[in-house]
């Protein structure tokens, strides 16, 4: 089964753990800040929520594809960026287009990802199906059709 390879990815990824800081004193007392640890290295944008995949790295693209499969087409993690395989500040598309802020482009965002995504060796290792994007949003239907 496809899911038998999901627990054995060839590379591990991680997301930074953000936290909130509330300033207790001074002129900005009560101000809340969203903070992440510093990431040493070269920061890159691997894909975005509009379907662009400017990076030639396999892992981030395979992760977005995997997130779609793992959620049975209900969600997709995109806007992958960071240093190496440590990611930060992702965007989630949902099939309904609801939740996760204004960057959630719904099925259109998922369709755009598959329009530019080329399955790579990690997708193949995880036995992720290749998708052919639909030319238009079809409401609640699956946004892509597996290539048989």
């Amino acid at each position: 089964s496809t899911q038998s390879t999901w627990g054995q990815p060839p590379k591990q990824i991680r997301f930074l753990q953000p936290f909130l800081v509330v300033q207790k004193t001074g002129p900005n007392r009560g101000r809340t800040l969203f903070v992440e640890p510093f990431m040493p290295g070269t920061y890159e944008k691997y894909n975005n929520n509009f379907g662009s995949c400017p990076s030639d790295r396999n892992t981030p693209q395979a992760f977005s594809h995997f997130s779609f499969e793992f959620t049975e087409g209900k969600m997709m993690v995109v806007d992958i960026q960071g240093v190496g395989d440590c990611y930060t500040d992702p965007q989630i598309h949902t099939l309904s287009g609801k939740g996760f802020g204004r960057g959630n482009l719904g099925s259109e965002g998922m369709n755009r990802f598959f329009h530019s995504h080329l399955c790579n060796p990690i997708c193949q290792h995880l036995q992720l199906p290749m998708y052919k994007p639909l030319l238009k949003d079809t409401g609640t239907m699956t946004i892509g059709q597996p290539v048989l």
Side-chain angles (χ1 to χ4, degrees):
S1 99
T2 300
Q3 292 183 1
S4 66
T5 59
W6 289 359
Q8 304 165 354
K11 294 185 88 174
Q12 294 290 317
I13 64 164
R14 70 183 186 93
F15 281 88
L16 285 183
Q17 295 298 310
F19 52 95
L20 295 175
V21 174
V22 178
Q23 191 165 348
K24 297 282 187 183
T25 61
N28 293 319
R29 178 182 154 94
R31 183 177 181 189
T32 303
L33 304 170
F34 185 77
V35 181
E36 293 178 324
F38 175 72
M39 296 174 63
T42 304
Y43 191 90
E44 284 187 68
K45 182 87 155 181
Y46 302 120
N47 67 38
N48 67 29
N49 43 331
F50 299 105
S52 175
C53 299
S55 173
D56 60 356
R57 297 229 24 252
N58 290 333
T59 308
Q61 312 316 332
F63 176 71
S64 290
H65 186 168
F66 168 80
S67 68
F68 177 81
E69 277 306 305
F70 185 77
T71 64
E72 299 177 343
K74 295 179 180 83
M75 295 181 177
M76 177 184 280
V77 180
V78 294
D79 201 17
I80 305 295
Q81 53 200 310
V83 176
D85 289 317
C86 182
Y87 306 148
T88 182
D89 194 27
Q91 174 63 55
I92 298 175
H93 292 321
T94 61
L95 188 59
S96 68
K98 295 181 180 169
F100 303 103
R102 291 183 292 170
N104 178 357
L105 302 179
S107 61
E108 176 63 24
M110 295 176 185
N111 198 28
R112 287 181 184 186
F113 172 81
F114 282 119
H115 183 73
S116 62
H117 173 64
L118 297 173
C119 283
N120 61 54
I122 297 175
C123 297
Q124 293 164 2
H125 173 81
L126 296 173
Q127 299 176 8
L128 301 175
M130 294 180 5
Y131 283 89
K132 178 174 59 177
L134 299 175
L135 296 176
K136 62 180 183 175
D137 183 7
T138 57
T140 59
M141 289 182 62
T142 303
I143 61 95
Q145 300 299 322
V147 177
L148 302 176

